[in-house]
DNA sequence: CCCCAACCGTA
DNA sequence: GTACGGTTGGGGG
């Protein structure tokens, strides 16, 4: 084990206890053996492992052990014979399961540790401290308060049932004292379940208060006479020895002789067949199926293992070897080999690797021509039913909708296309059939005197088609493949259909190739199929002469629409196997695909804006801008278009002869805010007014005037559109309108936020991550000072300034802190002396000195930057802490500035991208969590702004929802990644976005 | 009508 | 110094 490794220590006894009580008590195998706790234990372990494994960065466990109590005869019993004396014997049906659970642990290929004379907690403590001493991080999987004394910046706990991480702040929040004082607190309060005596009449609240006042137990006992409350004082004085004894009992030993050294705990690959053998013997069919799917094993071909039970009994599998049911869901016949998760089981020599299969698939489709002539038009229900039945047989269908608008909130459904892989041919066949189903095409109306448009002949009635489609789209066992499925999802939702069981070729491409290209269908088709699809404008026209799709002739529509489904299916065939080959299935399935319905719902909900407020603001802005215009013309001596940088440049630097600063790349004088600010500082009156005028007109045109135009005619709300696949780093983007750049920095701009309001009886609740990117940096670069500062909740910029300039945090001049803050941001952006100098308005040499100083104080940051660049050069991409990739194909460019740019972007991407992944996880988790709390009707997530989520919450639910949202966001990285730094979320609720933020 | 450059709003 | 999207002006077709 080495620095940076991550050890997971699972409190096996705690797991058993929780598994046993969480499940119906009398789960028995067919031969009567009780296995409920074994089942619960296996499920919990599997969940933890599949959630935590397989990201390629070293932040998930590198080492793992499951630790059990050996017996109750421990040193504590000798110290205090009454210890755990009131413990009841374990329930009868649990007894035979202890041994099975140890067997289960071995079947999972995990070390199973117990030591005579010591409790599991002592072993955990010993391992935790030993690992910490090496510089590794530790996550203790347990929620037992007895273990909380072990929490440090490097040691966390994780409650896998509640999916909650426990760090220093959580301990303080729960018990009122930091982890290192937990021992004293427990010594005072005692513990009834373990029969630790403590001091009578003192509970956690009083204990925390006393420790706060006196510092620690010894001081408290020494100065007990000072306590004012008579009864309390007497109790403490009389029971001082009991407290001291209790302290001995609750103090975990950190020097237990270790059977296995830390290095022996290294996390091994799963042995699929071995685990399945055990699970079959236990008759856990669901888990057997899951494991078989994950490791791509044929469970039917694996014999149930013979498992020895304590007391000489033998348990074995059922006599009849029932074959596992065929795997349903996305494992369509066409590609059953391509959809398994990439866990485990190495291919034997000679077998094609997943990469070979993916390459072969790509080659097969690139070589095949697309034939339009075979596309069908489906005009009757019986034919449509036959196609749907065929889709049911193959379990796979590509699907595309045609509508009257690019906006899924406004679009009317006009028709849909399907493509099916013909699996009656040999496996690996590239034969595809595709068809278009016109539903809402209209004709007529060219004649001015006719009475408008009529539905074209030969179309299935919309209600019949929707009913048939609903059966197809809502059946999770038939995998629907679409390009940009969020569009179709939202459209279909508006027609009462909730798509379940889907893949999105755009998102698959994004996960595979972010940064390499964009992920539109036409581009993907060119790249992977060597085929140029029919252009939309060739079907519907463009510009003034364009028509909506319902006016397109059905035969033309068939060629276009059926081709889209055809191409989509082919792209899926090519791209999906690459996910397995490149070990990105997990990213796709956990971070990408589940977000589609979440975002669709957010877009569908929209947010209310108060048009009156905007209109009033617009008037004010117009007036103020007009006043500026008069003054500007006066100063310039003529009227001109202030909004034209070209004309403005001529006035300022030509006519008025001000000293021109920089030029833009087209040779024009730059009139950027920076240049104008500099001129203003020199004393020229005009530039300042231009800056102010620009601010006002920007606010007016981009926000107060534009936003009302986005209010939906029916919902009366504004529905933005999120793109999942627009950025290289994993961030979302928002457009039409962009609600991720609503002003906040200036007082004038913030007024716009007051127009974003909650509906009647609701509040807007804004929850935002505090300093998430710096926290991610502290995590990935493992910077001790940063980690400590975040663990202690210290002002991070002040800490940086203090480290760099030797100025104490107390009474620090704001300018010093401001510089440190700029440096911190610079680091995240892949710092350059040029950029930092620009930002701070200082000489480049001075900025260079700052950077040098910074790297001296935080050498880990330089190491991180260098190793990230090296990784990017080596691989052409970088990764977030969850394993999402961002590609930088130009990183080796011979152009130095291009290369430097790519290096900075590559340094930034893991930080920005990891933060983006964390909030994605929070968004995916939040709805189920709220539903569990019974709040899903009362709390609606509306917006995401990179590190902020905005909800609309019923008034009476605000109080209960807020902590749930905060918790979920703060622990969103878990269990995939155990952050070495706590995440902090601030939340506020108010009538409008300005006050809530 | 389309595209690009400049500018500026956000994290 | 990172990542975006929208508006305007202005040039070209």
């Amino acid at each position: 084990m080495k620095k940076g490794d991550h050890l997971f220590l699972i409190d096996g006894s705690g797991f058993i206890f929780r598994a046993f009580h969480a499940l119906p008590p009398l789960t028995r195998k067919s031969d009567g053996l009780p296995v409920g706790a074994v089942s619960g234990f296996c499920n919990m372990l599997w969940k933890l492992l599949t959630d935590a494994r397989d990201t390629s960065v070293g932040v998930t466990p590198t080492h793992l052990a499951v630790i059990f109590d050996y017996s109750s005869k421990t040193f504590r019993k000798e110290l205090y014979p009454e210890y755990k004396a009131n413990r009841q014997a374990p329930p009868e049906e649990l007894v035979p399961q202890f041994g099975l659970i140890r067997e289960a642990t071995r079947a999972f290929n995990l070390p199973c540790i117990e030591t005579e004379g010591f409790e599991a907690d002592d072993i955990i403590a010993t391992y935790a401290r030993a690992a910490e001493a090496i510089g590794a991080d530790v996550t203790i999987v347990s929620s037992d308060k007895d273990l909380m004394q072990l929490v440090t910046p490097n040691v966390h706990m994780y409650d896998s049932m509640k999916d909650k991480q426990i760090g220093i702040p959580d301990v303080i929040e729960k018990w009122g004292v930091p982890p290192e004082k937990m021992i004293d607190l427990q010594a005072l309060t005692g513990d009834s379940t373990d029969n630790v005596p403590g001091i009578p009449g003192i509970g956690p609240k009083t204990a925390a208060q006393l420790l706060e006042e006196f510092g620690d137990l010894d001081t408290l006992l020494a100065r007990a006479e000072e306590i004012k409350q008579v009864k309390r004082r007497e109790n403490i004085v009389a029971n001082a020895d009991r407290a001291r004894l209790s302290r001995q009992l609750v103090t975990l030993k950190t020097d237990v002789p270790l059977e296995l050294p830390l290095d022996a705990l290294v996390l091994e690959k799963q042995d699929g067949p071995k685990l399945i053998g055990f699970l079959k013997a236990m008759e856990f069919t669901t888990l057997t199926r899951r494991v078989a799917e994950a490791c791509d094993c044929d469970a039917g071909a694996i014999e149930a293992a013979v498992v020895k039970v304590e007391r000489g009994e033998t348990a074995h599998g059922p006599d009849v070897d029932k074959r596992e049911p065929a795997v349903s869901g996305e494992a369509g016949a066409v590609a059953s080999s391509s959809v398994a998760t990439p866990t485990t089981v190495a291919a034997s020599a000679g077998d094609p690797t997943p990469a070979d299969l993916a390459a072969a698939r790509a080659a097969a489709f690139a070589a095949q021509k697309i034939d339009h002539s075979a596309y069908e038009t489906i005009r009757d229900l019986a034919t449509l039913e036959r196609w749907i039945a065929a889709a049911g047989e193959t379990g796979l269908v590509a699907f595309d909708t045609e509508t009257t608008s690019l906006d899924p909130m406004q679009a009317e459904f006009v028709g849909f296309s399907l493509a099916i892989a013909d699996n009656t041919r040999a496996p690996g066949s590239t034969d595809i059939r595709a068809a278009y189903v016109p539903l809402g095409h209209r004709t007529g109306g060219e004649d001015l005197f006719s009475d408008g448009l009529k539905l074209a002949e030969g179309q299935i009635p919309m209600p019949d088609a929707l009913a048939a489609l609903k059966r197809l789209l809502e059946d999770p066992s038939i995998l629907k493949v679409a390009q940009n499925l969020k569009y179709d999802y939202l459209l279909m939702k508006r027609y009462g259909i909730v798509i379940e069981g889907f893949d999105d070729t755009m998102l698959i491409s994004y996960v595979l190739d972010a940064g390499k290209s964009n992920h539109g269908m036409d581009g993907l088709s060119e790249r992977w199929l060597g085929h140029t699809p029919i252009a939309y404008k060739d079907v519907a026209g463009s510009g003034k002469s364009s028509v909506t799709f319902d006016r397109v002739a059905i035969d033309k529509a068939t060629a276009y629409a059926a081709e889209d489904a055809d191409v989509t299916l082919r792209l899926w065939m090519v791209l999906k196997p690459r996910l397995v080959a490149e070990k990105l299935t997990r990213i796709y399935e956990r971070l990408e695909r589940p977000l589609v319905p979440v975002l669709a719902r957010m877009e569908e909900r929209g947010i209310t804006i108060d048009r009156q407020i905007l209109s009033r603001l617009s008037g004010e802005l117009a007036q103020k801008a007009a006043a500026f215009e008069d003054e500007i013309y006066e100063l310039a001596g003529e009227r001109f278009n202030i909004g034209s940088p070209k004309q403005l440049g001529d006035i300022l630097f030509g006519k008025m002869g001000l000293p021109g600063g920089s030029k833009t790349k087209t040779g024009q004088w730059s009139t950027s805010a920076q240049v104008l600010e500099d001129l203003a500082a020199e004393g020229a009156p005009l530039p300042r007014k231009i800056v102010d005028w620009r601010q006002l007109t920007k606010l007016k045109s981009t926000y107060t005037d534009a936003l009302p135009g986005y209010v939906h005619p029916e919902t009366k709300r504004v529905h933005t559109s999120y793109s999942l696949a627009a950025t290289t780093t994993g961030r979302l983007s928002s457009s039409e309108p962009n609600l991720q750049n609503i002003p906040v920095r200036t007082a004038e701009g913030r007024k716009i936020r007051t127009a974003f309001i909650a509906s009647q009886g609701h509040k807007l609740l804004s929850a935002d991550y505090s300093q998430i990117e710096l926290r991610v940096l502290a995590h990935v670069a493992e910077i001790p000072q940063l980690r400590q500062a975040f663990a202690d909740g210290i002002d991070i910029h002040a800490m940086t300034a203090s480290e760099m300039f030797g100025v104490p945090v107390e009474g620090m001049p704001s300018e010093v802190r401001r510089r440190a803050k700029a440096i911190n941001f610079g680091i995240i952006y892949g710092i350059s002396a040029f950029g930092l100098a620009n930002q701070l308005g200082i000489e480049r040499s001075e900025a260079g000195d700052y950077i040098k100083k910074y790297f001296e104080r935080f050498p880990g940051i330089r190491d991180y930057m260098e190793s990230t660049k090296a990784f990017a050069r080596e691989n052409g991409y970088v990764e977030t802490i969850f394993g999402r990739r961002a590609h930088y194909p130009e990183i080796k460019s011979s152009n130095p500035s291009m290369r430097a740019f790519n290096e900075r972007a590559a340094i930034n991407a893991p930080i920005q991208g990891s933060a983006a992944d964390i909030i994605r996880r929070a968004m995916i988790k939040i709805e189920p969590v709220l539903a569990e709390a019974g709040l899903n009707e009362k709390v609606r997530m509306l917006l995401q702004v990179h590190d902020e989520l905005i909800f609309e919450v019923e008034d009476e639910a605000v109080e209960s929802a807020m902590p749930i949202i905060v918790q979920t966001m703060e622990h969103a990285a878990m269990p995939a990644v155990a952050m070495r730094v706590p995440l902090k979320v601030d939340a506020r609720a108010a009538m409008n976005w300005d006050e809530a933020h």
Side-chain angles (χ1 to χ4, degrees), chain A residues 577-590:
Chain A
R578 283 187 57 208
L579 284 178
V580 179
E582 297 172 39
K583 297 201 186 305
L584 287 166
T585 306
R586 191 159 229 97
I587 298 295
Y588 172 67
E589 290 184 355
R590 306 264 172 134

Side-chain angles (χ1 to χ4, degrees), chain A residues 213 226 284 315 399 452 616 798-799 956:
Chain A
E213 192 180 340
E226 297 171 23
F284 301 154
F399 166 75
R616 184 161 43 72
M799 186 285 292
E956 69 269 21

Side-chain angles (χ1 to χ4, degrees), chain A residues 30 103 120 179 292 354 427 458 478 499 598 616 642-643 720 733 746 777 906:
Chain A
S30 52
E103 287 298 319
I478 304 172
I499 301 178
V598 174
R616 184 161 43 72
I642 309 169
T720 183
S733 76
T746 64
L777 175 69

